[in-house]
């Protein structure tokens, strides 16, 4: 059965040919342009929309379909002539004072999915007030201009790369690479980050999985350990020169999420990278501003904010909530557990390539591996923890509904032998337990998937808690 068009944490996504079709894209795209015009037309004085895409199956054909539908509705369109990271299209929409951008991507979802992200004129994901207006018009589409707009093609990479280079000491990073003091690997996961670090830093960057593969090697283009065995092998086999540093980055399908692997083969999620980035930007770069985290962010982040005398703000999961905060407040770093990190020095949008550059700059200027920096920060804040997350496939959306009903009507009082002392239901169900650990139970907005997150003093306790949650869910 075809699923209704509903916008989730960042855009509308669906299974190609079942839910995500050319007919539906041609319906949604001009309505999105119209709502963006009503919202930003007066402030921008524009009728131009940016349209881009990633490397998924038929992504460029869907982008052309969206562009032509928007053009036919009377708007001028700039259509990307090639794939590029989603944040590149957000940046260009902002730089060119366009109404916004439509990006054809399903981000980190498996290959059978495609999606449509809506970006505002400010250069970030639009909030629920915009997407709800789009959804409301789907059953009775408005009447559009009868005179078509213009359509032209452009290459998003040059201006995007120029902007990123201006944010960091690019020459210092390149010098460290060329002298053999720093070795950089990148798993681009067959996605839109392909060629990004090479364009920025030169051909000594070791990129893997650069070929276009709509199946993503049989997995999903998500920066999680189970999807990146080749990068682990690359780092474990590499022998750095004496005193040299090495790191491997992982970029999701549309390059707005990041993770890394250190030279000893340790996986570095954004729970580790965000504290490292906060220290670097606040101390070596002298930037100021608020730290914004989502409810799934590590308990270390508030302690790091306090260590550097920075204020903290917490949001539901979804970068659009962080972007909203960045539009009204000076923000240093806004980050989420899933790998999305953005900066007040840039647009209010998560950007994985910029995050990689900032991590490399931190390594060059500190002389430390990110794991060393993270361990030092843990010692400074007297906080040790472990973290993990599992995604549990559910048999159907009906099972999902039954789990939600049970959580709402029969609140959990005990988890893994520990009493529940608090439950935060801002986004999912975040339980704090008597011994200080926390468990977040949250449902995917696009798939029948249950997401389970846990932070605890040790990895054994994390796994015990996640296994308990998995058993609880499987009982229904």
């Amino acid at each position: 059965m075809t699923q209704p068009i509903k916008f989730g944490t960042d855009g509308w996504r669906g299974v190609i040919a079942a839910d995500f079709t050319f007919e539906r894209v041609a319906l949604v795209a001009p309505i999105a342009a119209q709502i963006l015009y009503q919202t930003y037309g007066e402030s921008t004085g524009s009728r131009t929309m940016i349209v881009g895409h990633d490397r998924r199956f038929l992504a460029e054909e869907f982008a052309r379909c969206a562009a032509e539908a928007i053009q036919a509705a009377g708007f001028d369109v700039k259509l990307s002539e090639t794939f590029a990271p989603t944040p590149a299209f957000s940046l260009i929409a902002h730089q060119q004072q366009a109404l916004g951008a439509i990006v054809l991507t399903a981000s980190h979802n498996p290959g059978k999915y495609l999606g449509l992200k809506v970006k505002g004129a400010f250069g970030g994901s639009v909030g629920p007030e915009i997407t709800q207006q789009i959804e409301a018009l789907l059953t009775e589409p408005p009447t559009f201009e009868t005179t078509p707009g213009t359509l032209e093609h452009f290459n998003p990479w040059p201006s995007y790369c120029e902007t990123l280079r201006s944010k960091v000491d690019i020459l210092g990073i390149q010098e460290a690479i060329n002298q053999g003091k720093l070795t950089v690997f990148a798993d681009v996961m067959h996605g839109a980050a392909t060629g990004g670090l090479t364009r920025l830093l030169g051909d000594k960057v070791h990129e893997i999985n650069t070929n276009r593969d709509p199946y993503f090697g049989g997995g999903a283009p998500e920066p999680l350990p189970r999807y990146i065995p080749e990068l682990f092998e690359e780092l474990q086999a590499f022998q750095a020169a004496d005193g040299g540093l090495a790191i491997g980055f992982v970029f999701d399908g549309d390059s707005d999420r990041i993770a890394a692997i250190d030279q000893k083969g340790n996986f570095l999620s954004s729970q580790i990278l965000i504290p490292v980035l906060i220290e670097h930007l606040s101390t070596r770069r002298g930037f100021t501003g608020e730290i914004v985290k989502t409810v799934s962010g590590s308990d270390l982040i508030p302690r790091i904010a306090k260590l550097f005398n920075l204020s903290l703000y917490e949001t539901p999961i979804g970068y659009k909530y962080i972007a909203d905060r960045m539009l009204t407040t000076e923000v240093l770093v806004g980050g989420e557990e899933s790998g999305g990190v953005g900066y007040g020095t840039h647009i209010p949008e998560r950007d994985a390539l910029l995050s990689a550059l900032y991590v490399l700059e931190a390594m060059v200027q500190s002389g430390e591996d990110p794991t060393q920096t993270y361990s030092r920060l843990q010692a400074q804040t007297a906080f040790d923890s472990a973290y993990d997350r599992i995604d549990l496939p559910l048999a159907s959306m009906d099972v999902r509904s039954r789990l939600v009903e049970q959580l709402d009507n029969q609140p959990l009082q005990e988890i893994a032998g520990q009493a529940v002392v608090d439950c935060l239901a801002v986004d999912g169900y975040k339980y704090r337990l008597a011994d200080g650990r926390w468990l977040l139970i949250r449902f995917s907005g696009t798939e029948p998937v249950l997401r389970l997150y846990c932070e605890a003093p040790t990895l054994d306790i994390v796994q015990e808690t996640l296994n308990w949650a998995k058993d609880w869910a499987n009982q229904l």
Side-chain angles (χ1 to χ4, degrees), residues 7 28-51 70 75-76 89-90 93 97-103 116-127 129-135 137 142 144:
F7 283 77
V28 173
I31 290 175
Q34 180 66 24
I35 297 300
L36 291 177
Y37 176 69
Q38 292 172 6
T39 307
Y40 304 112
E42 185 175 348
S43 61
T44 62
S46 174
R47 288 189 64 86
T48 299
M49 286 290 298
I50 307 298
V51 178
I70 294 170
F75 296 95
D76 298 328
F89 299 117
S90 296
Q97 295 186 299
L99 296 172
I102 298 292
V103 187
L116 184 151
K117 291 185 177 183
V118 182
K119 306 296 182 176
F122 57 88
S125 295
V126 296
E129 70 282 357
I130 301 291
T131 56
Q132 287 167 9
Q133 291 180 64
I134 296 170
E135 289 174 356
L137 290 178
F144 295 107

Side-chain angles (χ1 to χ4, degrees), residues 28 30 114 118 123 129 173 188 249 259 261 313 325 329 340 372 472:
V28 173
L114 193 51
V118 182
E129 70 282 357
I173 298 170
V188 295
F249 293 109
I261 299 175
Y313 187 81
R325 187 67 178 176
T329 306
Q372 295 173 297
W472 165 81

Side-chain angles (χ1 to χ4, degrees), residues 410-428:
Q410 302 175 42
L412 297 174
Q413 303 296 323
E414 185 177 287
I415 293 173
Q418 292 289 315
V420 173
V421 297
D422 181 56
C423 178
L424 180 67
V426 170
D427 189 346

Side-chain angles (χ1 to χ4, degrees), residues 91 95 159-170 200 285 287 345-346 354 357-358 361:
L91 175 68
Q95 288 179 331
S159 61
Y160 176 56
C161 288
E162 181 182 0
T163 298
L164 296 192
R165 290 189 194 98
S166 72
K167 304 292 181 184
V168 299
D169 178 12
I170 200 78
L200 291 161
R285 297 301 301 267
F287 297 153
T345 60
H346 194 40
L354 179 57
L357 292 179
Y358 275 139
E361 185 180 66

Side-chain angles (χ1 to χ4, degrees), residues 369-383:
D369 181 281
T371 306
Q372 295 173 297
T373 304
Y374 181 74
S375 297
R376 177 169 51 76
L377 291 171
Q378 284 187 309
Q380 287 179 259
T381 56
F383 180 79

Side-chain angles (χ1 to χ4, degrees), residues 118-420:
V118 182
K119 306 296 182 176
F122 57 88
S125 295
V126 296
E129 70 282 357
I130 301 291
T131 56
Q132 287 167 9
Q133 291 180 64
I134 296 170
E135 289 174 356
L137 290 178
L138 293 175
T139 54
E140 296 184 19
T143 301
F144 295 107
E145 292 274 351
T146 55
T147 304
T150 61
L151 193 156
E152 61 180 275
H153 294 80
F154 75 103
N155 183 347
W157 283 100
S159 61
Y160 176 56
C161 288
E162 181 182 0
T163 298
L164 296 192
R165 290 189 194 98
S166 72
K167 304 292 181 184
V168 299
D169 178 12
I170 200 78
L171 294 178
I173 298 170
Q174 290 173 330
E175 182 179 5
I177 292 172
N178 291 333
Q179 292 179 353
K181 297 178 180 178
L182 176 64
T183 304
V184 181
F185 296 85
D187 188 342
V188 295
M189 303 192 88
H190 311 284
T194 300
L197 284 182
T198 303
R199 284 181 168 95
L200 291 161
L201 299 173
D203 57 12
K204 289 190 176 182
V205 174
H206 304 274
E207 286 193 5
I208 64 173
N209 291 319
T210 58
N211 62 304
R212 186 176 188 179
D213 177 6
Y215 293 104
F216 301 107
E222 186 168 12
L224 295 174
R226 63 181 177 273
Y227 296 131
I228 52 172
E230 294 164 87
L231 188 62
F232 277 109
E233 291 173 7
E234 292 272 357
L235 267 295
Q236 289 164 355
F238 178 73
Q239 295 293 322
D242 289 343
L245 297 172
I247 191 168
F249 293 109
V250 193
F251 303 100
D252 77 331
D254 69 334
S255 190
D256 62 5
R257 299 187 184 196
I258 188 172
I261 299 175
D262 71 13
Q263 59 199 72
K264 293 183 179 180
N266 297 306
F267 181 74
L268 310 178
S269 72
S270 57
Q271 303 278 43
I272 293 173
L273 297 179
I274 289 170
V276 172
L277 289 161
I278 292 171
E279 185 207 40
H280 173 63
L281 295 176
S282 63
T283 60
R284 298 184 197 93
R285 297 301 301 267
F287 297 153
T288 60
E290 188 175 76
I291 304 302
V292 185
K293 68 178 283 289
T294 63
V295 296
S296 59
S298 170
D299 283 348
L300 178 62
I301 295 173
R303 291 167 171 81
I304 296 295
K306 184 177 181 180
L307 180 65
F308 297 113
N309 297 311
L310 302 167
S311 58
L312 181 86
Y313 187 81
E314 189 169 82
T315 73
I317 295 173
Y319 205 84
K320 59 191 174 187
Y321 300 108
I322 298 176
D324 282 347
R325 187 67 178 176
M326 295 177 84
L327 290 173
T328 59
T329 306
E330 182 185 10
V331 171
L332 175 64
V333 175
E336 49 185 1
E337 163 276 336
S338 59
V341 190
Y343 309 90
T345 60
H346 194 40
I347 52 174
E349 174 76 295
R350 52 194 172 184
D351 192 320
L353 283 172
L354 179 57
S355 293
L357 292 179
Y358 275 139
V359 169
L360 293 173
E361 185 180 66
M363 293 174 68
V364 171
Q365 294 183 6
S366 70
E368 289 183 330
D369 181 281
T371 306
Q372 295 173 297
T373 304
Y374 181 74
S375 297
R376 177 169 51 76
L377 291 171
Q378 284 187 309
Q380 287 179 259
T381 56
F383 180 79
D384 287 318
S385 72
Y387 167 85
D388 200 3
R389 160 190 153 189
I390 59 175
D391 292 350
L392 181 65
L394 301 175
S396 67
M397 295 303 277
D398 288 339
V399 173
R400 178 190 191 277
S401 299
R402 291 202 299 273
L403 289 171
V404 171
E405 183 179 358
Q406 180 166 338
L407 290 169
D408 286 339
N409 298 326
Q410 302 175 42
L412 297 174
Q413 303 296 323
E414 185 177 287
I415 293 173
Q418 292 289 315
V420 173

